Structures are given as C-alpha cells and as structure tokens.
Amino acid sequence: MAFILNSEEPIFIQIAKAIEDEILSEGIKENEQVPSTTEISKTYEINPATVLKGMNILVDQDILYKKRGRGMFVSEGAKEIISKVRKEKFINESVVLFLEEAKKLGINKKELVEIINEKIE
C-alpha cells in the first residue's frame, strides 16, 4: 500500500481511501488481510491511533472486518461497496459541476460527447 500524505484532508481519511484504492485495484482481495496498524504507522510515521481510526471507518462501512487476535481483513463485497459509493460521489460532485460549467460556457450535448470521446482515447 502506498500513498502520499497531503494537508487537504485528515490523515485518517487518507488512510481509509488508500486502503479502498488497494481493494479497488485488487492489490488486496476480499478475505485477505490488510497491513496492520503498526505496519502502516511505522512505514508512514503516523500515530497508530490515527491509522486505527481510518480502518475503523472501513469497518463501520462493512469494507473491513476484524478477526480477534489476527487483524483486519477485507469483507466479501467490499469492492462493490466502495465502487458504488465512489460512483455516486463522482456523479453528484464532479459530473454535476462539469455539466454546470459546460452549460455556462455554452457547450452543447453533442460537443460534450465529442470532448469526452476525445479524452477517453
């Protein structure tokens, strides 16, 4: 798991997102163990309590589950949960802003489709 800390959002949120990214890219698969809080805290020089706070967010969302004495593991269906939440956020935030800006600039639907097709290629 690799990520670069930024000052834009709390570290525990960045940790949760980094774990989600690993699950989405299948760097960590369902039912596999995620790196321990100690391992992450030592690698990135972060307080273990901060790491645990990030992991507990994912536990609360049923993305991770705890095995007593063994650590945290990726839940069945975690990838789908993450994907669904992120798609909704992407549509409700990025796409809506994108369309509002296109409307302000007078870009019509046909032009938008052409722009998107160009950028995809």
Side-chain angles (χ1 to χ4, degrees):
M1 185 176 78
F3 67 100
I4 298 169
L5 295 174
N6 67 60
S7 60
E8 295 173 15
E9 58 189 351
I11 294 171
F12 69 94
I13 298 291
Q14 293 178 59
I15 290 165
K17 284 183 178 179
I19 294 170
E20 286 181 345
D21 289 345
E22 282 295 310
I23 295 168
L24 284 174
S25 69
E26 297 188 353
I28 307 172
K29 295 180 174 39
E30 293 179 354
N31 296 309
E32 285 186 354
Q33 188 171 12
V34 298
S36 70
T37 54
T38 305
E39 189 178 337
I40 295 171
S41 66
K42 285 182 180 177
T43 301
Y44 296 101
E45 298 178 355
I46 301 168
N47 185 312
T50 302
V51 176
L52 184 59
K53 189 173 180 180
M55 288 183 159
N56 281 332
I57 289 171
L58 301 178
V59 170
D60 292 344
Q61 296 173 349
D62 295 323
I63 292 168
L64 298 181
Y65 64 94
K66 299 175 188 179
K67 280 191 182 179
R68 188 178 174 126
R70 297 206 42 222
M72 301 270 196
F73 292 78
V74 178
S75 301
E76 287 283 333
K79 186 175 178 181
E80 289 79 24
I81 293 168
I82 297 164
S83 183
K84 181 181 176 187
V85 169
R86 287 197 178 183
K87 280 181 186 177
E88 286 175 15
K89 184 177 180 182
F90 172 72
I91 291 166
N92 292 328
E93 292 176 8
S94 301
V95 174
V96 169
L97 290 174
F98 170 78
L99 293 173
E100 287 173 358
E101 187 67 15
K103 187 175 181 178
K104 288 177 199 172
L105 296 170
I107 300 172
N108 65 35
K109 183 178 176 180
K110 183 181 178 198
E111 290 173 307
L112 280 176
V113 171
E114 289 172 3
I115 292 167
I116 291 168
N117 285 333
E118 258 179 44
K119 298 300 177 184
I120 287 176
E121 296 168 2

